[in-house]
Amino acid sequence: MTTTVSAVQVRRLVPADALAFQALRLSGLQAHPEAFGSSYAEEKDWPVERVREWLTVRPDTGVFGAFENERLVGVVGLGRQTRANFAHVGFLWGMYVHTDAVGRGVGRALLDAALALARSQPGLRHLTLQVNADNRAALALYQSFGFVEIGREPDAMRVGNGFCDDIRMYLPIATR
């Protein structure tokens, strides 16, 4: 599936995109450490083979990338719980749009693509995500898609010498 927003093309990433994905992710980890569960220090020395594994195409999960003039400017991952009792739950992870691409619909296009894949999956009933409680733009974007807050974890993540609250959000994608 490929989606276009103005000059931005959104598609599933494949292992050949590993270097571009890794560079963008590391940029995001440096620019917005409060937005990720991982850190630049943890990922900066990862071998590209490890990153390629994240981008292996699977039928019910994937990483979507937004490209502008062949430059990767945004990403979001769709995962799915693998244990039988939780296989009805999907989750979004790693959403990041490069600063120079913010405000042009890139995040919306990425979410459209990830949600289209999620909705096509038999047995997948809902999606969850976690977002920094101070990230008003991300919260507004997720809410515009119908995600609702289902909980707040105070001091969920340590960033440097401070702590950030996380908001957990939920979106039903299948009817009973």
Side-chain angles (χ1 to χ4, degrees), residues 24 51 83 89 97 103-104:
L24 182 64
V51 178
R83 299 186 70 189
V89 179
V97 175
R104 296 199 314 255

Side-chain angles (χ1 to χ4, degrees), residues 108-164:
R108 182 165 295 285
L110 286 165
L111 285 178
D112 278 335
L115 292 177
L117 176 60
R119 288 185 172 115
S120 75
Q121 298 307 306
L124 196 58
R125 295 178 50 88
H126 66 265
L127 295 177
T128 62
L129 62 83
Q130 288 180 214
V131 61
N132 182 300
D134 293 328
N135 191 338
R136 295 184 193 284
L139 285 165
L141 176 64
Y142 297 137
Q143 288 168 343
S144 77
F145 276 85
F147 280 90
V148 295
E149 181 178 334
I150 57 171
R152 181 185 188 113
E153 182 179 354
D155 295 342
M157 186 169 53
R158 181 183 198 129
V159 179
N161 292 325
F163 292 89
C164 302

